[in-house]
C-alpha cells in the first residue's frame, strides 16, 4: 500500500514513516516479540501461520494490510484444523446419533480444513467435541466460520448446542452473521464439564437435503474473539504480540512535531474499571516510564491524549463519551509545540493545551504493546499507518490528515 501524498504539507517538513507495510523496508519498522506462532490472513485471502517473532501483516480488511496486535489467548478446542486423516469425519470428533442417511466431507477453505455435513435423508447427526473442561463462572467466546455458499439450512435450525456445563445453550443458523461468522458468548456454571455439538442435528431431526459447512472453530476465555489458533490434538496458546522500536530520534520531532496514527481498536473496554490496565494504545517517548512521552489511551469508551514533559503531564484532548468503539477505524493526529498543542480525531479537534513542551530526554522510541517488570500494556488493535513529522503541522493539515 502506498502511503498517501499529503499535498498540504509544506516542502521542507520531514515525515518519518515509523510503520511500513513492507517489514524489511524503512528505518522505522518495528521489532515484534511473540514467543509462539500466530495466524494472519494474507493478501490472497488465505489464513496462514506466521513463525515466532514474525509480525502479522493482516489483510482481513481487504487490499490494505494492517499490523495485527493481540493479547495472549488459548483455543480450548483441541481439534480445530478439521483434518479427516482418512476417516469419515474430522479427527477428534465423534458423530452423534447418526440416523437417516448422512455424510461428512473434508474441504479446504481459505487455506484451512473445513467439514461439510450433508443430511441426505431426514434424520439427525452432528459432530461432538467430546468432554471439555472449562473454567466455571467465566465468560467464554465461541467463534466458528461457516461457508454460506456451502450451506443449505433454515434460520431456525439448531447448529450448535452446549450440553452439560451446568447450563446448556443452543444457537441456530439464523445466529450466523452475513459474513458467515457465529460469534457467541457462553458462561459455564458450577458444573464446568460438558460437550459442544456442531451440526444440523445438534438438537433434533433435520429434513433431508440440508447441509452445513464450517471451518476454524475456536473457543476462548473472554468476551472477544481473536484470530484463529490451529489445534491438532491439544489446546494451543498464542502469546502476546509485543511491539516496540527504539533508535528513532531522527524521525521524531524533539522541540515540536506531529504524531499520526491510523488504527482500529479490537477490544471494547466499555466503562469497566477492571479493564483500565489494558487501555493504552501507543506511546512515543524516551522510555516507558512516562517521564517524557506522548501517549494515547482508551479509557472507558473515550480516547485521551497526553503529553508528559520532564514529568509534568498535560491533557491535550479527550473524545466525547462513547466515541471509542471496537472495530471502528480512527485517524488521530497530535501536534506538540510550546503553547500550541492540539489533538484531532477523524477530522475534528478534540482538545488543545497552551502549556509549555520541554522534553528533557530525547524522544527515540515507540511502543504499541509492551511488557516489562513495571509496565504492562497488551491491547488489541490493527495499525494501518503511523507517521511522525519533525514540525507541528497546521490545523488545516491536521484536519486533512485525519479525515476519514
Amino acid at each position: 500500500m502506498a502511503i498517501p501524498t499529503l499535498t498540504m504539507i509544506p516542502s521542507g517538513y520531514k515525515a518519518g514513516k515509523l510503520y511500513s507495510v513492507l517489514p524489511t523496508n524503512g528505518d522505522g519498522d518495528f521489532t515484534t516479540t511473540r514467543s509462539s506462532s500466530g495466524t494472519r490472513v494474507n493478501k490472497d485471502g488465505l489464513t496462514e501461520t506466521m513463525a515466532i517473532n514474525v509480525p502479522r501483516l493482516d489483510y482481513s480488511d481487504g487490499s490494505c494490510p494492517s499490523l495485527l496486535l493481540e493479547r495472549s489467548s488459548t483455543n480450548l478446542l483441541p481439534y480445530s484444523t478439521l483434518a479427516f486423516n482418512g476417516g469419515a469425519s474430522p479427527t477428534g470428533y465423534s458423530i452423534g446419533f447418526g440416523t437417516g442417511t448422512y455424510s461428512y466431507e473434508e474441504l479446504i477453505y481459505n487455506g484451512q480444513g473445513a467439514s461439510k455435513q450433508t443430511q441426505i435423508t431426514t434424520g439427525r447427526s452432528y459432530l461432538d467435541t467430546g468432554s471439555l473442561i472449562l473454567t466455571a463462572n467465566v465468560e467464554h467466546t465461541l467463534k466458528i466460520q461457516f461457508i454460506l455458499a456451502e450451506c443449505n439450512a433454515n434460520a431456525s435450525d439448531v447448529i450448535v448446542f452446549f450440553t452439560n456445563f451446568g447450563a446448556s445453550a443452543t444457537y441456530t443458523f439464523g445466529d450466523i452473521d452475513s459474513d458467515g461468522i457465529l460469534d457467541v458468548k457462553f458462561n459455564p456454571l458450577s458444573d464446568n464439564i460438558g460437550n459442544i455439538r456442531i451440526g444440523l442435528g445438534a438438537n433434533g431431526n433435520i429434513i433431508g437435503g440440508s447441509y452445513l459447512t464450517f471451518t476454524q472453530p475456536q473457543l476462548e476465555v473472554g468476551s472477544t474473539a481473536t484470530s484463529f489458533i490451529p489445534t491438532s490434538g491439544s489446546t494451543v496458546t498464542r502469546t502476546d504480540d509485543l511491539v516496540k522500536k527504539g533508535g528513532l530520534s531522527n524521525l521524531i520531532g524533539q522541540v515540536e512535531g506531529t504524531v499520526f496514527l491510523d488504527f482500529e481498536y479490537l477490544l471494547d473496554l466499555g466503562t469497566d474499571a477492571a479493564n483500565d490496565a489494558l487501555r493504552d494504545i501507543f506511546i512515543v517517548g524516551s522510555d516507558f516510564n512516562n517521564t517524557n512521552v506522548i501517549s494515547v489511551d482508551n479509557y472507558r469508551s473515550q480516547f485521551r491524549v497526553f503529553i508528559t514533559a520532564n514529568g509534568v503531564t498535560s491533557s491535550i484532548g479527550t473524545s466525547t463519551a462513547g466515541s471509542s468503539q471496537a472495530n471502528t477505524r480512527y485517524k488521530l493526529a497530535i501536534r506538540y509545540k510550546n503553547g500550541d498543542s492540539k489533538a484531532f480525531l477523524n477530522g475534528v479537534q478534540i482538545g488543545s493545551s497552551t502549556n509549555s513542551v520541554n522534553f528533557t530526554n530525547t524522544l527515540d522510541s515507540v511502543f504499541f504493546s509492551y511488557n516489562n517488570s513495571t509496565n504492562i500494556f497488551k491491547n488489541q488493535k490493527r495499525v494501518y499507518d503511523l507517521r511522525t513529522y519533525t514540525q507541528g503541522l497546521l490545523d488545516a493539515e491536521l484536519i486533512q490528515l485525519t479525515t476519514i
Side-chain angles (χ1 to χ4, degrees):
M1 178 187 69
I3 299 300
T5 299
L6 301 175
T7 57
M8 294 181 67
I9 304 300
S11 61
Y13 278 54
K14 181 176 181 180
K17 178 160 61 79
L18 300 185
Y19 163 62
S20 168
V21 297
L22 300 176
T24 59
N25 179 31
D27 294 334
D29 298 315
F30 288 108
T31 299
T32 297
T33 302
R34 186 185 61 252
S35 59
S36 73
S37 61
T39 62
R40 68 153 183 177
V41 175
N42 67 21
K43 63 181 179 179
D44 297 319
L46 303 179
T47 300
E48 65 179 3
T49 298
M50 309 301 290
I52 292 171
N53 295 336
V54 175
R56 294 187 289 158
L57 296 180
D58 187 85
Y59 288 77
S60 295
D61 289 344
S63 61
C64 182
S66 60
L67 180 62
L68 179 60
L69 306 174
E70 293 183 297
R71 61 173 171 84
S72 174
S73 189
T74 300
N75 190 350
L76 300 172
L77 297 179
Y79 293 93
S80 66
T81 53
L82 302 179
F84 278 56
N85 297 317
S89 62
T91 300
Y93 293 83
S94 62
I95 298 177
F97 277 79
T99 60
T101 306
Y102 59 89
S103 67
Y104 287 85
E105 179 184 359
E106 182 176 16
L107 302 178
I108 297 297
Y109 176 75
N110 288 348
Q112 298 294 319
S115 176
K116 181 176 182 178
Q117 170 203 8
T118 302
Q119 193 66 39
I120 301 169
T121 62
T122 298
R124 182 181 181 189
S125 71
Y126 56 82
L127 296 179
D128 193 313
T129 62
S131 182
L132 300 174
I133 300 176
L134 307 181
T135 302
N137 299 305
V138 172
E139 188 171 48
H140 292 68
T141 295
L142 175 69
K143 180 181 179 181
I144 302 175
Q145 173 73 62
F146 289 87
I147 307 170
L148 296 179
E150 294 289 340
C151 293
N152 179 32
N154 295 317
S156 59
D157 291 339
V158 174
I159 57 172
V160 170
F161 181 35
F162 286 78
T163 178
N164 299 317
F165 296 114
S168 63
T170 59
Y171 301 96
T172 68
F173 190 76
D175 292 319
I176 299 173
D177 70 16
S178 59
D179 294 320
I181 295 174
L182 178 72
D183 185 339
V184 296
K185 316 307 173 191
F186 178 72
N187 194 341
L189 300 180
S190 57
D191 180 3
N192 60 351
I193 300 176
N195 299 40
I196 301 177
R197 302 171 181 175
I198 305 173
L200 286 168
N203 196 36
N205 283 346
I206 205 75
I207 62 172
S210 301
Y211 49 91
L212 187 75
T213 307
F214 73 96
T215 184
Q216 300 180 36
Q218 184 150 305
L219 180 67
E220 306 168 80
V221 171
S223 59
T224 305
T226 67
S227 61
F228 180 52
I229 304 171
T231 61
S232 300
S234 63
T235 62
V236 173
T237 298
R238 181 201 60 246
T239 57
D240 302 290
D241 293 291
L242 304 177
V243 177
K244 61 180 179 178
K245 183 69 173 179
L248 301 173
S249 59
N250 64 316
L251 299 176
I252 302 173
Q254 301 299 319
V255 176
E256 65 174 87
T258 301
V259 176
F260 168 74
L261 181 66
D262 181 353
F263 68 102
E264 179 180 353
Y265 206 55
L266 303 180
L267 179 63
D268 190 351
L269 298 184
T271 58
D272 184 2
N275 285 321
D276 286 351
L278 299 174
R279 69 193 185 204
D280 291 287
I281 293 177
F282 84 107
I283 290 177
V284 175
S286 60
D287 52 38
F288 196 77
N289 296 313
N290 297 327
T291 304
N292 294 276
V293 300
I294 303 158
S295 64
V296 179
D297 67 28
N298 175 1
Y299 182 72
R300 305 186 189 182
S301 295
Q302 292 177 287
F303 292 120
R304 307 188 305 176
V305 180
F306 299 98
I307 294 177
T308 300
N310 194 22
V312 178
T313 299
S314 301
S315 174
I316 307 303
T318 300
S319 64
T320 58
S323 58
S324 166
Q325 301 292 331
N327 304 311
T328 301
R329 190 82 169 259
Y330 294 99
K331 293 185 178 182
L332 174 68
I334 306 158
R335 176 178 72 223
Y336 53 99
K337 186 176 182 180
N338 269 330
D340 187 21
S341 297
K342 290 185 179 181
F344 285 78
L345 179 69
N346 288 1
V348 177
Q349 182 178 323
I350 61 171
S352 63
S353 172
T354 58
N355 291 349
S356 63
V357 176
N358 180 25
F359 298 112
T360 54
N361 295 94
T362 301
L363 305 180
D364 65 355
S365 299
V366 174
F367 305 87
F368 270 123
S369 52
Y370 193 61
N371 183 5
N372 64 22
S373 59
T374 57
N375 296 290
I376 298 174
F377 73 101
K378 302 174 182 178
N379 44 52
Q380 295 174 251
K381 55 189 168 291
R382 298 182 185 276
V383 180
Y384 295 92
D385 194 5
L386 170 64
R387 306 179 217 176
T388 63
Y389 300 85
T390 54
Q391 291 183 338
L393 302 185
L394 302 176
D395 288 7
E397 297 165 344
L398 296 173
I399 292 171
Q400 182 194 25
L401 189 62
T402 59
T403 298
I404 295 290

